[in-house]
Amino acid sequence: MSERIMELNRLVSVSAGGHILYLYDDVDVYADNASAYLVSGVQGGDLAILIDTAERIDRIRSLVRSALSTEEHERIVYVDADLFYDTSKSFHYQKVVEHFGELLKPYLDQKLRIRTWAHVVWKNESCVERELNVFEAFADRTVRGLKMVSVCAYQGGSITASLQVKMLRTHDYVMTDEELSSTDLTGRSGGAFFPSLSEQREKDRQDDAERLSLESARRQLEKITANNLDPVALFDENGTLVNLNKAFERVFGWAAHDFYGMSETGVRAKIGLQNVAEGDLAPLSKANLLPDPAILAEDAVRAEATARSKKGEVLNVLVTEFALGDEERPAGYAVIYRDITYFRDSERRLQESVERYTSLKRNNHDAVFSIDGEGRVVKTNPAAQKLIGLTTEEMIGRLFSEWLAEGAMDDILRNSVAGDESLRPTVRIRSVEGNEFEVLTSTAPIIVGGRNVGYYVLAKDITEHKRLLIEKQAAEEMNRAKSDFLAVMSHEIRTPMNGVITLTQLLLETEGLTAEQREYVEVIRRSGDSLLGIINNILDFSKIEAGKTELQLEPMNLREDVARSFDILLADSRAKKLELGLSVAPRVPDIVVGDPNKLRQILVNLVGNAIKYTEEGGVFVSVDLEKGAPEGWVRLHFRIRDTGLGIPEAQTEHLFDPFYQLDNFMTRKSEGTGLGLAITKKLIELMHGSIGVRSKLGEGTVFRFSIDMQLPDFDEKPTETAEAEVVQVSADVSAPLRILVAEDNKINQLVMERLLSRMGHGSDLAEDGVRALELAERSPYDVILMDVRMPRMDGIETTHQIRINPERYGTPYIIAVTANAMNGDRERCLEAGMDEYMNKPVNSKRLAELLSEAEEQIRLLSKNSGKIVGESKRTTDEHQ
């Protein structure tokens, strides 16, 4: 501690001891003052004792630690106030005095000077003031007897004015936050003296005089500020807030007591006041600066600014500051914060509306004419000028009807209907060059002061639109005709092809054919397969182009499905003695969710092409993962490399064009429509992927493509379906099924009868739907093979009649056998009540599988229970 004598009052100095009452308001300042008090003491050689709660001790200890050495820090004694006196119960001075005496005993024989700091809290009761008064008397006696410096700290709001007056009798000085921090007790003042009580009282008298002066000035504005609709803040000449009116609380949302004691800087910071430099408005004046008293309030400078309310709303305010009092006796100043947010918003909305309308009219593709009540042009936009062929200045004052080649103004104004373009009137407008345009018109009245002073006329040129509409309708009709043609072509070609291919298969299975005959039959079979492949490619491409191809998603074993694609092509590669290789990276998942049929189609197209154009060596396929897939998906990268002829670089950019054939650049040796790669590219794009090719003549070709596939959710346990139960049934020796073949074509009747006979089943024939119903009513069948297109009654209607009359026709398992292969044909069959669907030409293996499913279902239920298997399949298909 400094040896300088610091007077506490006229009789007592710090060297002889001093008893200080410290009233604090700010917790942060309290902690700073307490830590500075302890630090200055121990650095001056004193022993310092701090009595406070554990929470505040930890905070003060952290502030003290960085300023002291370890040895100095050991001269601070920390006492937990909860042990010193119970802060949660009543305050009993006897307990405190007794404990304080015990606390000081170890240090009384030491030569160290002692300074203490005690924070006093208590439970608020009626007797507490008496207890505190007695306690402070005992404390004062101890302080003076031991010549200590002791600070008793109280929160300012917790001690009444009457108790403060009583404590002045026993304390040398009452200090506030700022007064304590300015003394040498905290070591921060650089040698300041304590003012005496008489000096304090003199200062209080001066403060009272200043407050009276300010009060007089405030009274002058009391009525104005209290009743003012604008927020008003009053500051003293030092920039400290004195008062806020109710309007301030209403506009900004804070209560007045949230600002008490603040400077104007603090008020500005709390409401987020920021200057807005706009036009000729003056910027905000500096905070805490007394305005010139010579400037009257009405002449005060106004500045526009932005602020924020307690809720965070942005406000526009007009700030006006003016001095109170006069030049000789200034009494502070007033600040008015007029809320102009609504005014600015309205002004901004109006400006935006004007600009939006102007921009809309100027940039509108439709012609806009503003006309007065007599129909004369007042204003136009550029589109109107282009339509008529005149500038706005040339059109102003002229009748709008001058340019009407067909129709009248009454038609436009009387028949204009908002919203429905089909009801809006159309007229013909003739430009100054003599060109006529058909326009769709609409009007809007111009209302000024509640009176209709004219109209806006919007004229939309629909000449080109009508032409495009006609072309669109023609294109749609052509598209429908193409779809109908493809459907008919598919049916008409597949129907005889069913006989050619199926009977050829049956002929190959007969005995006694010579080698030459077998060769001829084999040529017929291959030609039929080739023709069927061409038909399928054309139909696939047609569906893709029409946007009617959808992915049928289902869990699939990726490695197994890729390998199946190789099974189809294995015979071709062996015939040419080519190596066929497959490599799947270990990190590629086994199970993914995708469309296995379309993936197989992609691989068969690409690998098949590679085999076609490779004479020696082989074709090698690799599958790996690629980065960039969305979460829950994988991106699969396929690479198909061959050692074939290679492709000229100029030809690679056309490979994926429809009907482009690779043999065009050389002697044509292979067959096909040139649609395979075009279909492949479309299918890959349908799977969110892309394809590319790199080739070099004489060295081979590499096709690369990537597709995205979803990973399955293994958390969901699959439920057992009827199909799963069917698999568990033991495979007993199958009994012949009772089968009805509904087919009008004689060749196909023969084909189906021979195929079913080979499989061990008997069959009856019905040439149309009516005959099929007659036979089904006479003798219910296990299975009906139903053609779709038949005379008198087609297969769809026949199936419908069977399903709505089960007691009459039974519940047979109905399989659609049709040449219809267009998009939606399968769905229509299943919706009609059929259980399964297969295309012509009939594949004997597929037919056997379907009959096996029907047989297992019948055996499982011990009777023909109808569509259980079929319904399960349809539900799955719809879900996919």
Side-chain angles (χ1 to χ4, degrees):
M1 177 187 296
S2 172
E3 293 299 325
R4 182 189 296 274
I5 302 299
M6 296 190 295
E7 295 184 357
L8 292 173
N9 59 29
R10 291 172 182 171
L11 300 175
V12 182
S13 66
V14 173
S15 62
H19 193 196
I20 302 167
L21 176 63
Y22 172 36
L23 301 177
Y24 71 90
D25 294 312
D26 191 305
V27 176
D28 293 331
V29 176
Y30 164 83
D32 289 342
N33 282 343
S35 60
Y37 175 81
L38 298 175
V39 169
S40 65
V42 297
Q43 286 180 341
D46 295 349
L47 174 72
I49 300 175
L50 172 65
I51 304 172
D52 209 333
T53 62
E55 180 183 356
R56 273 188 284 264
I57 286 176
D58 289 341
R59 183 173 181 179
I60 294 170
R61 192 198 303 266
S62 66
L63 294 172
V64 166
R65 185 177 292 112
S66 61
L68 298 177
S69 64
T70 303
E71 181 182 354
E72 289 172 334
H73 196 272
E74 291 176 353
R75 290 204 298 275
I76 299 178
V77 179
Y78 298 97
V79 180
D80 189 345
D82 287 327
L83 301 177
F84 185 45
Y85 57 88
D86 193 342
T87 60
S88 63
K89 296 182 179 179
S90 300
F91 179 82
H92 297 293
Y93 75 88
Q94 297 96 334
K95 178 180 178 181
V96 178
V97 171
E98 179 182 353
H99 184 275
F100 191 70
E102 294 295 327
L103 178 66
L104 289 179
K105 275 184 182 180
Y107 308 107
L108 293 178
D109 295 335
Q110 300 180 17
K111 295 182 180 180
L112 292 173
R113 290 168 298 185
I114 300 175
R115 61 166 59 186
T116 65
W117 179 290
H119 182 260
V120 184
V121 294
W122 64 89
K123 184 178 179 181
N124 192 12
E125 292 183 342
S126 57
C127 63
V128 72
E129 288 200 1
R130 180 177 58 81
E131 291 280 329
L132 283 173
N133 198 24
V134 176
F135 162 69
E136 290 293 359
F138 274 104
D140 182 64
R141 196 177 306 159
T142 303
V143 168
R144 295 181 188 280
L146 298 177
K147 296 183 179 180
M148 295 190 306
V149 177
S150 178
V151 175
C152 289
Y154 293 83
Q155 190 168 11
S158 65
I159 184 169
T160 64
S162 61
L163 183 57
Q164 290 184 36
V165 172
K166 292 178 183 177
M167 289 183 174
L168 280 174
R169 301 169 188 163
T170 55
H171 289 74
D172 298 304
Y173 192 61
V174 180
M175 287 189 175
T176 63
D177 290 328
E178 294 181 359
E179 289 169 338
L180 179 60
S181 64
S182 66
T183 68
D184 267 355
L185 288 175
T186 61
R188 294 182 297 204
S189 66
F193 287 91
F194 282 125
S196 64
L197 290 177
S198 60
E199 290 171 341
Q200 181 198 15
R201 293 189 184 99
E202 179 61 28
K203 185 176 183 301
D204 288 342
R205 280 193 294 272
Q206 293 175 358
D207 291 343
D208 287 341
E210 292 175 359
R211 279 195 295 270
L212 286 174
S213 175
L214 182 60
E215 184 65 29
S216 175
R218 285 207 312 269
R219 278 196 298 270
Q220 296 174 13
L221 296 170
E222 186 175 15
K223 290 183 179 180
I224 298 175
T225 56
N227 299 314
N228 202 320
L229 298 178
D230 295 328
V232 179
L234 299 179
F235 297 90
D236 62 20
E237 60 272 20
N238 297 318
T240 303
L241 181 67
V242 176
N243 191 21
L244 294 171
N245 67 348
K246 291 295 183 183
F248 190 99
E249 296 179 323
R250 173 177 53 79
V251 170
F252 291 103
W254 279 286
H257 63 74
D258 292 330
F259 293 84
Y260 286 163
M262 280 190 180
S263 64
E264 189 187 357
T265 302
V267 173
R268 287 187 178 188
K270 196 170 186 69
I271 65 175
L273 194 69
Q274 290 184 348
N275 186 70
V276 174
E278 186 175 326
D280 298 328
L281 288 171
L284 286 171
S285 63
K286 293 183 179 179
N288 308 329
L289 181 65
L290 180 66
D292 188 351
I295 300 176
L296 299 177
E298 55 267 27
D299 299 327
V301 175
R302 292 168 173 77
E304 189 166 335
T306 60
R308 287 189 178 272
S309 68
K310 187 176 182 180
K311 294 180 180 179
E313 301 166 329
V314 178
L315 305 174
N316 290 96
V317 292
L318 189 65
V319 182
T320 306
E321 293 187 358
F322 54 90
L324 301 175
D326 51 39
E327 295 183 59
E328 295 180 0
R329 295 182 60 83
Y333 58 97
V335 182
I336 300 175
Y337 310 88
R338 172 166 293 177
D339 183 7
I340 59 171
T341 306
Y342 179 78
F343 170 75
R344 281 297 182 219
D345 286 347
S346 299
E347 187 180 59
R348 193 158 37 245
R349 284 195 297 270
L350 177 60
Q351 183 65 25
E352 287 175 358
S353 178
V354 171
E355 291 179 357
R356 189 179 297 111
Y357 166 72
T358 303
S359 176
L360 177 64
K361 188 172 71 171
R362 183 173 57 249
N363 299 309
N364 200 324
H365 295 296
D366 298 335
V368 181
F369 300 86
S370 173
I371 61 174
D372 61 18
E374 296 178 354
R376 297 184 181 277
V377 175
V378 176
K379 194 74 174 174
T380 67
N381 71 337
Q385 299 169 36
K386 182 178 179 181
L387 181 69
I388 302 300
L390 297 174
T391 64
T392 298
E393 290 73 18
E394 291 172 330
M395 284 188 278
I396 291 176
R398 296 175 63 172
L399 291 171
F400 178 77
S401 57
E402 289 183 25
W403 301 294
L404 291 178
E406 183 180 308
M409 283 300 300
D410 289 343
D411 299 330
I412 297 174
L413 301 179
R414 184 171 57 248
N415 299 327
S416 184
V417 180
D420 190 349
E421 284 198 356
S422 64
L423 300 178
R424 285 162 54 187
T426 60
V427 297
R428 296 187 70 83
I429 286 182
R430 183 184 294 113
S431 69
V432 293
E433 288 87 3
N435 299 319
E436 291 189 7
F437 306 94
E438 187 171 359
V439 297
L440 189 68
T441 62
S442 60
T443 62
I446 302 174
I447 308 297
V448 177
R451 189 169 63 89
N452 188 348
V453 298
Y455 294 91
Y456 289 114
V457 178
L458 277 73
K460 181 182 183 67
D461 182 5
I462 60 173
T463 308
E464 182 68 13
H465 174 74
K466 290 189 73 172
R467 185 184 66 79
L468 293 175
L469 185 62
I470 292 171
E471 291 180 358
K472 177 177 177 290
Q473 291 173 344
E476 289 175 349
E477 290 175 1
M478 288 180 63
N479 193 49
R480 281 194 298 270
K482 182 182 75 172
S483 297
D484 293 341
F485 169 75
L486 288 174
V488 172
M489 183 188 74
S490 170
H491 185 273
E492 295 304 320
I493 295 178
R494 282 175 182 272
T495 298
M497 285 301 299
N498 182 48
V500 172
I501 294 177
T502 309
L503 289 176
T504 302
Q505 291 174 347
L506 293 174
L507 185 59
L508 285 172
E509 295 173 7
T510 60
E511 298 179 358
L513 290 177
T514 66
E516 185 179 7
Q517 289 171 334
R518 187 171 297 278
E519 182 182 357
Y520 292 163
V521 174
E522 186 65 34
V523 170
I524 295 172
R525 184 190 65 79
R526 286 200 301 269
S527 299
D529 289 341
S530 177
L531 181 57
L532 187 62
I534 292 172
I535 295 169
N536 289 336
N537 277 345
I538 293 173
L539 293 177
D540 283 347
F541 185 75
S542 175
K543 287 190 287 184
I544 291 172
E545 285 290 285
K548 296 180 179 179
T549 299
E550 296 180 355
L551 296 177
Q552 302 297 322
L553 301 179
E554 61 182 53
M556 54 182 284
N557 188 313
L558 185 63
R559 287 174 170 79
E560 184 177 318
D561 280 293
V562 172
R564 284 178 183 172
S565 305
F566 276 57
D567 292 342
I568 299 172
L569 302 165
L570 198 56
D572 292 339
S573 64
R574 286 176 178 173
K576 299 182 73 172
K577 298 181 181 180
L578 298 176
E579 183 180 353
L580 193 59
L582 172 63
S583 170
V584 182
R587 60 178 181 169
V588 174
D590 289 330
I591 306 299
V592 294
V593 177
D595 190 326
N597 292 324
K598 289 185 175 57
L599 176 60
R600 201 174 301 126
Q601 185 176 355
I602 292 169
L603 290 173
V604 168
N605 276 342
L606 293 176
V607 178
N609 273 347
I611 292 173
K612 183 190 300 184
Y613 295 106
T614 301
E615 299 302 327
E616 59 181 21
V619 179
F620 307 95
V621 180
S622 64
V623 188
D624 204 344
L625 291 184
E626 191 176 275
K627 295 180 179 179
E631 185 177 355
W633 294 66
V634 291
R635 181 159 294 168
L636 300 174
H637 180 76
F638 292 79
R639 183 173 180 267
I640 297 93
R641 180 178 64 86
D642 65 56
T643 59
L645 300 175
I647 306 168
E649 186 176 351
Q651 304 292 328
T652 57
E653 58 182 286
H654 301 292
L655 280 180
F656 302 103
D657 294 345
F659 305 106
Y660 182 82
Q661 293 181 319
L662 203 60
D663 289 328
N664 286 346
F665 72 92
M666 60 183 72
T667 302
R668 179 169 173 81
K669 294 185 294 183
S670 57
E671 301 173 348
T673 60
L675 290 174
L677 289 178
I679 292 172
T680 298
K681 182 174 184 291
K682 295 288 187 181
L683 292 178
I684 290 172
E685 290 172 349
L686 194 62
M687 298 180 185
H688 312 288
S690 60
I691 185 170
V693 60
R694 180 172 54 82
S695 182
K696 191 171 183 181
L697 280 175
E699 295 185 9
T701 304
V702 177
F703 282 87
R704 301 172 185 269
F705 72 91
S706 298
I707 56 174
D708 287 351
M709 286 197 171
Q710 195 171 0
L711 292 171
D713 185 358
F714 291 107
D715 293 335
E716 297 183 5
K717 295 182 179 179
T719 57
E720 283 195 67
T721 65
E723 285 187 284
E725 295 174 357
V726 171
V727 173
Q728 298 171 5
V729 178
S730 61
D732 297 334
V733 177
S734 60
L737 295 172
R738 292 169 295 169
I739 300 175
L740 174 64
V741 177
E743 170 64 63
D744 63 315
N745 184 277
K746 298 298 183 181
I747 296 176
N748 287 337
Q749 290 176 357
L750 175 63
V751 168
M752 296 304 298
E753 190 270 332
R754 295 293 172 85
L755 279 177
L756 293 173
S757 177
R758 287 282 185 92
M759 296 177 186
H761 303 293
S763 61
D764 293 331
L765 297 175
E767 65 275 6
D768 55 45
V770 175
R771 180 60 177 163
L773 291 179
E774 293 174 356
L775 293 176
E777 183 177 12
R778 186 183 306 165
S779 176
Y781 292 92
D782 297 321
V783 177
I784 297 179
L785 301 177
M786 185 76 72
D787 188 20
V788 174
R789 293 193 178 191
M790 294 185 294
R792 295 210 290 173
M793 183 183 290
D794 63 25
I796 299 294
E797 179 60 27
T798 304
T799 301
H800 176 69
Q801 292 297 326
I802 292 173
R803 292 310 184 205
I804 64 174
N805 296 291
E807 69 285 346
R808 185 175 179 181
Y809 303 112
T811 54
Y813 193 92
I814 301 177
I815 302 172
V817 184
T818 176
N820 290 351
M822 297 297 290
N823 188 54
D825 289 336
R826 173 185 173 85
E827 289 71 18
R828 281 192 292 273
C829 291
L830 296 181
E831 287 173 4
M834 298 186 191
D835 297 283
E836 262 301 348
Y837 174 97
M838 67 182 300
N839 282 331
K840 295 177 183 177
V842 173
N843 182 289
S844 58
K845 183 178 179 182
R846 173 64 174 157
L847 178 60
E849 290 175 353
L850 293 177
L851 293 178
S852 178
E853 288 181 12
E855 185 180 1
E856 289 173 353
Q857 186 63 30
I858 294 167
R859 185 165 60 249
L860 174 67
L861 300 178
S862 298
K863 62 179 182 179
N864 189 352
S865 59
K867 301 178 291 178
I868 293 178
V869 172
E871 287 174 353
S872 171
K873 287 182 178 297
R874 283 199 300 279
T875 303
T876 304
D877 289 338
E878 289 169 3
H879 174 70
Q880 291 170 350

